[in-house]
């Protein structure tokens, strides 16, 4: 009988291409992954991988077994979910992938709620961009993903994933206090400004350059707080979602954009795990966290008048 843990190791190598990346995904050492693959080869009497420079390449037999491994692991997920649903107890481990703003604004409340209400549940959190979150979910390396989905960007969800919207976030243009724009404007009105944005590859960056083709931000930084300090210094303007917005510096103003840039905040999980009570509990905790965050962010929506 083929060992399930060894199948997981092969599946991880097939997904990530290197023993190092596979070990990171499985939360074990590269040596442990190599040992599992070697044992699987002895167990099956077949060469499953071969070296290709610094990577591992699956042999034809390895690809065949890896394809079966994905189906087997999906079936195991479904069996575990069914068993958990039968017990109707929120237990086990739940790993969440979430975009940066959600990690700060939603997950602390949600994870605290889960820890309080379900002490038998262990949780983990990985900060990733939404594209990475969908992929980690598809591969089975996380149980739940919290994603920001801009209509103009359009995340692609695998057929095996269920998604639900827990809220809608809006973004405003933030400008220096003495800026020429005031009140309400269109994005096109700000086309020729010096833009301060998140880094390329982030979905907020993708939204900006798709909405204003040809715009190349002068500044690309990882945190919205850093964007605000640059805006406050008079170096440019930025489009910042309300959920992500901390307390504003005194020397900046909010310009509401018409039409308002909007992103959906989505929670997603694999269909095979849908019956797990932990999934339902996490969804509810995230909805509560969204409601709390929405109340907090509503206090910062007032447009500051020019000085």
């Amino acid at each position: 009988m083929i060992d399930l843990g060894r199948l997981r190791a092969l599946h991880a190598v097939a997904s990530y291409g290197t023993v190092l990346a596979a070990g990171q995904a499985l939360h074990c050492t590269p040596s442990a992954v190599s040992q599992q693959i070697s044992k699987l080869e002895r167990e099956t009497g077949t060469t499953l991988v071969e070296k290709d420079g610094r990577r591992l390449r699956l042999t034809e037999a390895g690809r065949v077994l890896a394809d079966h491994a994905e189906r087997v692991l999906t079936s195991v997920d479904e069996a575990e979910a069914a068993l958990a649903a039968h017990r109707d107890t929120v237990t086990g481990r739940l790993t969440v992938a979430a975009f940066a703003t959600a990690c700060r604004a939603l997950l602390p409340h949600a994870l605290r709620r889960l820890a309080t209400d379900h002490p038998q549940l262990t949780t983990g959190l990985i900060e990733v961009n939404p594209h990475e979150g969908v992929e980690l979910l598809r591969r089975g390396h996380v149980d739940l993903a919290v994603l920001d989905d801009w209509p103009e960007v359009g995340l692609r969800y695998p057929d095996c994933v269920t998604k639900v919207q827990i809220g809608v976030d809006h973004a405003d243009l933030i400008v220096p206090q003495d800026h020429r724009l005031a009140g309400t404007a269109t994005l096109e009105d700000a086309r020729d400004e010096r833009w301060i944005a998140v880094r390329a590859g982030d979905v907020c960056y993708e939204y900006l350059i798709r909405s204003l083709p040809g715009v190349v931000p002068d500044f690309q930084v990882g945190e919205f707080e850093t964007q605000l300090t640059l805006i406050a210094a008079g170096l440019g303007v930025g489009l910042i979602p309300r959920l992500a917005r901390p307390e504003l510096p005194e020397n900046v103003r909010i310009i509401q954009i018409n039409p308002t840039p909007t992103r959906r905040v989505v929670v997603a999980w694999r269909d095979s795990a849908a019956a797990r009570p932990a999934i339902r509990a996490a969804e509810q905790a995230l909805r509560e966290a969204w409601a709390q965050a929405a109340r907090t962010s509503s206090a910062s929506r007032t447009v500051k008048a020019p000085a």
Side-chain angles (χ1 to χ4, degrees):
M1 181 179 295
I2 297 176
D3 182 84
L4 187 61
R6 294 164 196 167
L7 276 183
R8 288 192 187 279
L10 180 68
H11 180 252
V13 171
S15 298
Y16 291 99
T18 69
V19 171
L20 177 61
Q24 291 172 339
L26 296 174
H27 307 290
C28 64
T29 65
S31 176
V33 174
S34 296
Q35 290 175 15
Q36 292 283 62
I37 297 294
S38 295
K39 289 178 181 178
L40 186 58
E41 289 183 323
R42 291 196 299 271
E43 190 173 56
T44 59
T46 307
T47 301
L48 301 173
V49 296
E50 54 191 12
K51 290 186 178 180
D52 182 11
R54 301 181 66 180
R55 301 172 65 88
L56 286 179
R57 182 175 64 243
L58 268 65
T59 64
E60 184 63 31
R63 285 192 293 270
V64 169
L65 188 56
D67 288 342
H68 282 281
E70 184 163 2
R71 293 193 291 272
V72 168
L73 295 174
T74 297
S75 295
V76 170
D77 277 349
E78 292 171 345
E80 289 177 343
L83 183 60
H86 178 72
R87 290 196 302 263
D88 201 27
T89 303
V90 181
T91 60
R93 179 173 178 82
L94 185 84
T95 303
V96 180
F99 63 103
T101 301
C103 285
R104 182 175 65 252
L106 301 179
L107 269 302
H109 175 92
L111 295 178
R112 182 176 65 249
R113 168 64 68 185
L114 289 172
T116 300
D117 293 350
H118 309 289
Q120 296 181 64
L121 180 68
T122 302
T123 55
L125 175 63
I126 303 173
E127 180 182 313
V128 294
N129 71 49
H131 297 298
E132 294 170 330
V134 170
E135 186 63 13
L136 287 174
L137 186 63
R138 183 188 71 81
R139 292 177 173 176
H141 300 311
V142 299
D143 304 294
L144 199 75
V146 185
L147 313 162
D148 58 331
D149 192 351
W150 297 82
E152 292 78 5
V153 176
L155 289 177
R156 295 182 178 180
Y157 299 93
D159 292 338
C160 64
V161 165
T162 293
K163 64 183 185 298
V164 295
Q165 178 178 303
I166 62 170
V168 176
D169 193 20
H170 304 287
D172 301 300
L173 184 68
I174 310 297
V175 303
Q177 183 69 45
D178 58 356
H179 197 272
R180 62 180 179 84
L181 293 177
T184 302
T186 66
L187 271 181
E188 191 63 33
D189 292 332
R191 168 180 287 278
D192 296 330
E193 299 293 331
R194 299 190 75 194
W195 280 92
I196 300 166
V198 291
R199 292 171 295 194
D202 189 285
V203 291
C204 292
Y205 180 95
E206 291 181 44
Y207 169 81
L208 177 63
I209 62 174
R210 292 188 185 196
S211 300
L212 291 176
V215 164
V216 179
D218 291 285
F219 304 91
Q220 296 180 34
V221 297
E223 299 289 339
F224 287 111
E225 290 90 340
T226 307
Q227 289 188 52
L228 284 172
T229 61
L230 294 172
I231 296 168
L235 296 173
V237 304
L239 190 68
I240 300 183
R242 293 171 185 170
L243 183 65
R245 204 157 70 205
E247 184 175 350
L248 295 177
E250 290 296 326
N251 50 342
V252 303
R253 287 190 292 113
I254 303 170
I255 306 296
Q256 291 184 334
I257 297 298
N258 185 23
T260 304
T262 300
R263 63 176 177 173
R264 299 184 304 146
V265 179
V266 171
V267 179
W269 55 84
R270 291 185 305 284
D271 295 343
S272 59
R276 284 188 65 192
I279 296 292
R280 298 195 299 272
E283 180 194 353
Q284 181 58 40
L286 284 161
R287 289 187 182 278
E288 291 178 9
W290 171 264
Q292 181 188 67
R295 288 193 297 269
T296 301
S297 66
S298 66
S300 65
R301 294 180 187 176
T302 303
V303 179
K304 293 185 178 181

